[in-house]
Amino acid sequence: MANILSDTDQLKKLLSKAEDTGKIAWQIGQTASQIYENGTFKDFPKKNYTDFGEFTNGEFNKTEQTISIYIKIFKSFSFEDIGDLLFTHLKELTRIPDKTIRKSAVKVFNKLQRQYLENGDKNEKERMFSAESIKATIGLINRTNNPTEDEIGDIAWEVTKIKERKTGIKGADKVGEVLKNTKFDKLERWLAFEPIDEQGTVALFCLLLPLLEEVPFTFKLDGHYRNGTFSQFEFVRSKFPDACIHFNTEIGSYKTVNYKVLVEFEFYSSSYIEHLMSYEKCHLIICWVNNIDRNRYTEDIFPPIIELSEVIKTGQIIVK
């Protein structure tokens, strides 16, 4: 009886500051796990709790599902690995079933959190990561086989750029620079300014498509290099991938084959890392600015890339 009373009192104190650090969340999970597995909640005096959910609701005004998150954190991480991570970070990381990938993710998040604490207000409990950056971190680790310490640093660098890019776009002017000196005269009559976001990039390509019917290019499609031209959209949508575009290529002297190329539009190509967790196929990235450095990774984890800012300047499609 004494144990359940002291353990309950300890949990109440920890839960009052549960959002402060990941280490406190881990300690909550440790104590809650002991109470649950040993069944000591049934010994609570004068309450007659018959299940763990009754106990958590009665003593902490918390559902069993909420407390189970803390228990999962306790069982998923060692206390030493948590470092400066927050409860919100650990909660997301517990969704990763693979222990090796989860361990790498902890290293990335710790590196990012240390950078934040060094550069930001240490008294401010601002969450370092958006949903997009969390997904991007997990996606990069998934695509990088057992990342080295250097690659962990590269992944952290990529994730910090997500926040910088979104901040830059949010604070941008309503229109971009004047669109001029392109290789497509008609384009300047149709579109006055350069894109500043993904939607503008899509609009630009839609206007470019009829002008690109006679511009051949080569890129790797399903393991083979194909040479051909764009012909028409099959669909454009908000769901990943953004579009399906027909790509015509000749085989031999007489036969023309039409391939359906799945395309994801991005303003910055590196924003594609937010989609690396997707199981959907994507053959090609079409972006306004290509800022992916493939040399940063031991494996080629990105699809081929077309940079529209270069296309309109040169009149050619060079796939990178």
Side-chain angles (χ1 to χ4, degrees):
M1 185 181 299
N3 284 342
I4 186 58
L5 290 175
S6 61
D7 286 346
T8 301
D9 184 57
Q10 174 72 359
L11 265 183
K12 286 180 179 178
K13 291 178 181 177
L14 289 171
L15 283 165
S16 68
K17 48 186 177 180
E19 301 296 313
D20 287 0
T21 71
K23 289 183 175 178
I24 290 177
W26 186 94
Q27 290 173 318
I28 292 170
Q30 182 186 43
T31 304
S33 177
Q34 291 171 352
I35 294 173
Y36 173 75
E37 292 180 3
N38 294 332
T40 53
F41 60 87
K42 296 176 183 177
D43 300 329
F44 204 96
K46 301 180 182 179
K47 292 295 179 74
N48 298 319
Y49 292 126
T50 58
D51 62 57
F52 190 63
E54 286 183 0
F55 167 69
T56 61
N57 275 301
E59 297 302 318
F60 315 117
N61 196 27
K62 302 285 185 183
T63 65
E64 182 176 353
Q65 184 178 12
T66 297
I67 299 299
S68 69
I69 296 171
Y70 294 101
I71 294 175
K72 192 172 182 180
I73 286 171
F74 163 67
K75 292 186 175 181
S76 298
F77 309 100
S78 70
F79 187 78
E80 293 74 21
D81 287 340
I82 290 173
D84 295 313
L85 294 184
L86 303 177
F87 165 70
T88 49
H89 302 153
L90 298 176
K91 180 181 176 181
E92 289 298 324
L93 288 169
T94 58
R95 301 178 189 274
I96 308 173
D98 187 284
K99 292 181 180 179
T100 302
I101 294 175
R102 191 166 62 232
K103 192 174 182 66
S104 295
V106 168
K107 292 181 181 179
V108 173
F109 275 53
N110 262 310
K111 187 177 286 288
L112 287 168
Q113 185 66 356
R114 283 195 296 271
Q115 291 173 3
Y116 168 70
L117 292 174
E118 289 171 3
N119 301 324
D121 182 357
K122 295 184 179 181
N123 297 317
E124 189 179 54
K125 296 183 178 67
E126 178 184 338
R127 301 297 180 244
M128 177 67 183
F129 307 102
S130 64
E132 292 90 349
S133 57
I134 290 169
K135 289 164 64 177
T137 300
I138 297 171
L140 281 166
I141 293 169
N142 269 315
R143 295 296 185 94
T144 306
N145 185 25
N146 193 21
T148 64
E149 288 300 319
D150 287 342
E151 287 172 328
I152 290 291
D154 289 341
I155 292 170
W157 180 87
E158 290 282 12
V159 174
T160 59
K161 293 302 175 186
I162 291 177
K163 190 171 183 179
E164 290 177 13
R165 288 194 299 270
K166 289 186 177 295
T167 301
I169 292 172
K170 185 177 180 180
D173 293 334
K174 292 182 179 180
V175 296
E177 298 292 327
V178 174
L179 190 69
K180 59 184 179 181
N181 299 324
T182 80
K183 291 291 183 178
F184 304 95
D185 295 335
K186 291 182 179 180
L187 185 61
E188 293 177 40
R189 300 207 308 267
W190 298 336
L191 192 65
F193 301 99
E194 295 176 353
I196 60 170
D197 54 22
E198 182 179 320
Q199 287 75 19
T201 305
V202 175
L204 170 60
F205 184 80
C206 289
L207 293 173
L208 269 176
L209 184 60
L211 306 178
L212 296 176
E213 287 184 318
E214 304 300 323
V215 181
F217 64 98
T218 301
F219 81 110
K220 195 172 185 179
L221 178 63
D222 292 338
H224 300 279
Y225 284 96
R226 314 286 187 185
N227 182 264
T229 56
F230 286 128
S231 59
Q232 65 178 167
F233 279 106
E234 177 153 322
F235 63 74
V236 182
R237 64 187 186 187
S238 58
K239 180 184 174 183
F240 177 87
D242 292 328
C244 178
I245 306 174
H246 290 189
F247 176 76
N248 294 335
T249 182
E250 291 187 1
I251 298 179
S253 303
Y254 306 101
K255 186 177 181 181
T256 299
V257 177
N258 180 277
Y259 289 96
K260 295 181 179 181
V261 176
L262 297 174
V263 171
E264 181 66 14
F265 289 101
E266 304 287 359
F267 181 76
Y268 291 107
S269 59
S270 58
S271 294
Y272 184 86
I273 65 177
E274 296 171 23
H275 303 295
L276 288 178
M277 289 181 67
S278 176
Y279 293 103
E280 296 287 332
K281 185 82 171 176
C282 181
H283 300 116
L284 189 66
I285 299 171
I286 297 179
C287 64
W288 174 245
V289 176
N290 178 28
N291 63 341
I292 286 176
D293 180 2
R294 294 185 187 272
N295 294 325
R296 295 181 72 89
Y297 306 97
T298 55
E299 299 179 21
D300 197 1
I301 60 178
F302 297 101
I305 299 166
I306 293 176
E307 184 177 26
L308 294 184
S309 58
E310 288 298 313
V311 173
I312 65 173
K313 289 177 183 177
T314 64
Q316 299 179 326
I317 299 176
I318 306 297
V319 181
K320 300 175 182 179

